Amino acid sequence: MISQALIADQLPEIRSWYEHLHAHPEFSFQEKETASYVFARLQEMGLQVHQIPQNAVMGFLSVPNAKSTIGLRAELDALPLHEQTGVKYASKNAGAMHACGHDLHMACALGAAKLLAAHTSDLKHNILVVFQHAEEKIPGGAKDVIASDFFKEHKPDVMLAMHSFPDLKAGEAGFRSGPYMASGDEIDVHIKGPGGHAAMPHKTVDTVLTAGQVLVALQQIQSRFIPTEIPSVLTFGNICAESVMNIIPREVLLEGTFRTMDESWRKKALKNIKKIVENTATAAGADAETVVRPGYPAIKNNEAVTPKLQDIAINLLGNRKVHSLPLRMTTDDFGYYAQLIPSAYFRLGVADSNGRSPGLHTPEFLPNATALETGVKLLVQIIQEY
């Protein structure tokens, strides 16, 4: 077994990888330099390495006599934020930042790959490490990876993903069997009319008022249509009329998101949303168009795989540092892997010893320094013992 002392010896190099990746973030579908950096590190370790045109990089470690494969997914892409952490290795790419921990995930996956590649005699399974592009932007990169010949050739029997979690302290981890994260579809509602003078609404159609009626009517999706046992959220975060106080605009745009834990209900809900929009607009004399951009599927953690990983984490970290996670309405395109392969998506604590941490997707987000070591240890232990 790979010792904790050996992992500690490798940490300075792993830390240097993390700082480089943090300092050079790239947006979804633009991760060319990040992919090249990861590709080079995997080659140095002796893995069979492949890159697909969309930027994802995969490394395959063949283990003598292994009859199965464990897959591990990390993400390449960053977010459009101006970093405000003040660290010496802060982003060198203005307006881009690793504010979701993807740099940490990559460094942990690279560190685990290097340690495991040097100790294949301790392994029972082959390993496929996937550094996936475009997790942050619909349609996501997971489907490109899954469709690639390299992934099909080395298709894992189990797929894993570890993700930063500011709600837990560094040195802690979290797991949940069964449904864990929601699907996430983007919805644009266009309310249209002839437009006109605000002082004469009787001569036109009030698209702003109609948009308000549509918003209120759509809350029936949650209060009346969704089975009470299925968590769901319908939220509109933007209303755009592009008008002034004395003009009724010809069009009002509503932008929102629908999220749920149930794939069959998801399809029904989207049909109901379109129906409510059309009927409400028609009643007001307006026209309406609903555009749905399909997002990621819900993540259901395999109920045979996940408890085994949790037990391994407890043995490594201690019972008090391994937590059961609540449901989350956030999304991740790891759901595509989970639909195809028995999978587990688990959490790595990144807060300080007092439990303080800026949230994910904020310009101040920075994992606690000790989270890197815990992440590498956890991945190595899980892959060795599973």
Side-chain angles (χ1 to χ4, degrees):
M1 299 289 283
I2 297 170
S3 69
Q4 302 301 307
L6 183 58
I7 294 174
D9 288 343
Q10 294 293 316
L11 275 177
E13 183 178 31
I14 298 171
R15 179 77 193 180
S16 72
W17 296 340
Y18 164 72
E19 292 186 2
H20 175 90
L21 291 164
H22 184 92
H24 299 87
E26 294 176 295
F27 296 139
S28 303
F29 299 104
Q30 300 176 30
E31 314 95 328
K32 294 188 182 300
E33 295 303 320
T34 307
S36 295
Y37 185 84
V38 168
F39 191 103
R41 301 291 81 73
L42 293 173
Q43 273 195 324
E44 292 166 359
M45 299 170 197
L47 275 69
Q48 181 184 351
V49 191
H50 178 76
Q51 182 173 346
I52 65 173
Q54 297 88 345
N55 295 330
V57 175
M58 288 171 271
F60 182 71
L61 177 62
S62 180
V63 173
N65 303 315
K67 296 181 180 179
S68 58
T69 299
I70 291 181
L72 172 63
R73 197 270 331 241
E75 315 96 313
L76 296 170
D77 56 332
L79 288 161
L81 287 170
H82 292 277
E83 182 168 352
Q84 297 177 24
T85 62
V87 295
K88 64 180 181 181
Y89 52 91
S91 172
K92 298 180 184 299
N93 298 336
M97 178 192 175
H98 274 298
C100 199
H102 293 184
D103 48 350
L104 180 68
H105 310 161
M106 286 187 280
C108 288
L110 285 171
K114 180 169 184 176
L115 288 156
L116 294 164
H119 297 83
T120 54
S121 60
D122 296 325
L123 302 178
K124 308 168 190 174
H125 316 277
N126 302 316
I127 301 169
L128 178 69
V129 191
V130 177
F131 294 86
Q132 181 208 299
H133 61 298
E135 185 278 322
E136 295 286 2
K137 188 173 183 179
I138 289 176
K143 291 194 289 185
D144 294 328
V145 170
I146 290 168
S148 69
D149 291 338
F150 192 86
F151 186 87
K152 291 176 181 177
E153 181 182 354
H154 303 294
K155 182 180 174 182
D157 299 276
V158 173
M159 196 73 184
L160 311 177
M162 180 180 71
H163 199 289
S164 302
F165 199 47
D167 292 9
L168 295 178
K169 298 175 185 176
E172 299 180 342
F175 297 82
R176 182 184 182 89
S177 291
Y180 176 46
M181 291 173 67
S183 61
D185 299 305
E186 296 178 356
I187 301 171
D188 291 347
V189 176
H190 301 264
I191 307 297
K192 301 176 182 180
H197 200 296
M200 294 178 282
H202 58 290
K203 291 188 175 182
T204 184
V205 175
D206 192 335
T207 50
V208 175
L209 178 59
T210 304
Q213 292 169 335
V214 167
L215 280 177
V216 173
L218 283 173
Q219 294 313 304
Q220 296 177 71
I221 294 293
Q222 293 166 271
S223 66
R224 291 296 178 266
F225 291 105
I226 295 176
T228 55
E229 70 275 11
I230 300 175
S232 298
V233 171
L234 176 61
T235 299
F236 284 84
N238 187 38
I239 303 175
C240 181
E242 293 188 346
S243 186
V244 293
M245 59 89 184
N246 61 348
I247 296 176
I248 294 174
R250 291 185 173 182
E251 181 172 346
V252 178
L253 170 65
L254 310 177
E255 294 180 315
T257 179
F258 177 70
R259 304 182 178 211
T260 186
M261 295 284 181
D262 186 278
E263 287 298 313
S264 61
W265 165 245
R266 177 187 180 190
K267 295 176 183 177
K268 294 177 183 177
L270 292 173
K271 289 181 181 178
N272 283 340
I273 288 170
K274 290 183 177 181
K275 186 175 181 180
I276 289 171
V277 169
E278 290 171 3
N279 289 344
T280 305
T282 298
D287 295 321
E289 179 186 10
T290 304
V291 178
V292 176
R293 290 186 295 278
Y296 308 150
I299 294 176
K300 183 177 181 180
N301 282 328
N302 186 272
E303 294 176 352
V305 173
T306 309
K308 294 179 182 179
L309 305 191
Q310 187 164 355
D311 287 343
I312 293 170
I314 289 171
N315 290 335
L316 175 67
L317 304 176
N319 190 61
R320 291 185 178 181
K321 293 187 176 182
V322 178
H323 304 269
S324 295
L325 298 169
L327 292 170
R328 283 178 67 85
M329 300 310 290
T330 52
T331 67
D332 191 303
D333 71 346
F334 187 76
Y336 289 114
Y337 301 104
Q339 286 184 326
L340 183 68
I341 302 165
S343 297
Y345 183 107
F346 55 97
R347 295 286 183 168
L348 176 70
V350 297
D352 66 18
S353 58
N354 295 312
R356 294 174 302 200
S357 173
L360 300 173
H361 292 218
T362 66
E364 299 84 12
F365 175 72
L366 191 71
N368 184 270
T370 60
L372 182 63
E373 181 175 6
T374 304
V376 175
K377 287 180 177 179
L378 189 56
L379 292 179
V380 167
Q381 201 78 3
I382 283 173
I383 292 172
Q384 283 185 129
E385 290 192 22
Y386 181 79

